[in-house]
Amino acid sequence: MKSNFNSRIPWREKLEKPQEPKLVKIPASMTRFGKGTMLIPTPKLVDELLRQVPKGKLVTVSEIRKRLAGDFAADVTCPLTTGIFVRIVAEAAEEDRAGGRQWVTPYWRVIKDDGSLNPKFPGGEQLQARYLRGEGFSVAHKGKRTVVKDFEKRLAVLH
């Protein structure tokens, strides 16, 4: 599937870029997320977590952030970088699929906290919905959003 966003650097290269997670003091502009320390994760950490979400289960970005914060004894995980890194994982997975790889990171199992799909994923909500339906999920339009029906019953808890 062609990406919605062209990048000069291959997505796989962005995913595997050598970098370390960082713990920083929560900036004043982000105190609405909490006080104390904030984890800046890496795309590789996000990829490793998404690979743990089994078929038939879903995970929210909030759950990913909560798990990462716990792993690094941080108060919160940066929502901005986490969102960007989920996108990098998704784009790299589709790049891998286009290259003939059979098994890719199941990024389509990541939904928003309200059960809606991610329009920024490769192929937009349509492709994510197709993958989810292929795994037995019911997907419907709710206003302008596309959501997974009864998603709460299918949420994974990351350990």
Side-chain angles (χ1 to χ4, degrees), residues 5 59 62 110 114 123:
F5 177 75
V59 68
S62 289
V110 178
D114 65 358

Side-chain angles (χ1 to χ4, degrees), residues 6-154:
N6 292 324
S7 173
R8 290 180 295 131
I9 300 169
W11 293 101
R12 169 68 37 202
E13 194 175 313
K14 289 181 183 191
L15 176 65
E16 294 180 356
K17 179 181 173 189
Q19 55 188 320
E20 294 297 318
K22 295 181 188 102
L23 282 174
V24 300
K25 185 176 183 296
I26 296 175
S29 63
M30 297 182 89
T31 54
R32 69 185 177 280
F33 297 108
K35 293 184 180 353
T37 58
M38 177 183 283
L39 172 70
I40 310 297
T42 66
K44 205 73 171 136
L45 282 172
V46 172
D47 185 68
E48 289 168 10
L49 274 184
L50 297 189
R51 288 175 176 270
Q52 295 175 27
V53 180
K55 186 175 182 177
K57 291 288 188 178
L58 300 166
V59 68
T60 63
V61 176
S62 289
E63 177 66 18
I64 294 166
R65 289 179 50 230
K66 188 170 107 184
R67 164 66 196 277
L68 287 168
D71 286 353
F72 288 85
D75 295 301
V76 297
T77 300
C78 178
L80 183 65
T81 56
T82 304
I84 291 167
F85 296 160
V86 168
R87 170 81 183 276
I88 288 172
V89 169
E91 296 285 0
E94 287 303 328
E95 205 173 71
D96 290 347
R97 189 189 307 275
R101 190 168 290 173
Q102 294 294 310
W103 194 91
V104 300
T105 302
Y107 69 87
W108 56 89
R109 296 177 189 153
V110 178
I111 58 171
K112 295 182 180 184
D113 292 349
D114 65 358
S116 60
L117 305 188
N118 192 330
K120 293 182 180 178
F121 278 166
E125 293 174 340
Q126 290 174 317
L127 185 62
Q128 185 179 11
R130 189 173 91 203
Y131 289 158
L132 289 171
R133 284 186 188 107
E135 292 189 0
F137 292 97
S138 294
V139 179
H141 293 288
K142 190 174 183 181
K144 292 184 177 186
R145 301 173 307 137
T146 305
V147 299
V148 178
K149 290 183 185 174
D150 298 322
F151 72 94
E152 300 91 346
K153 297 175 184 171
R154 308 282 288 276

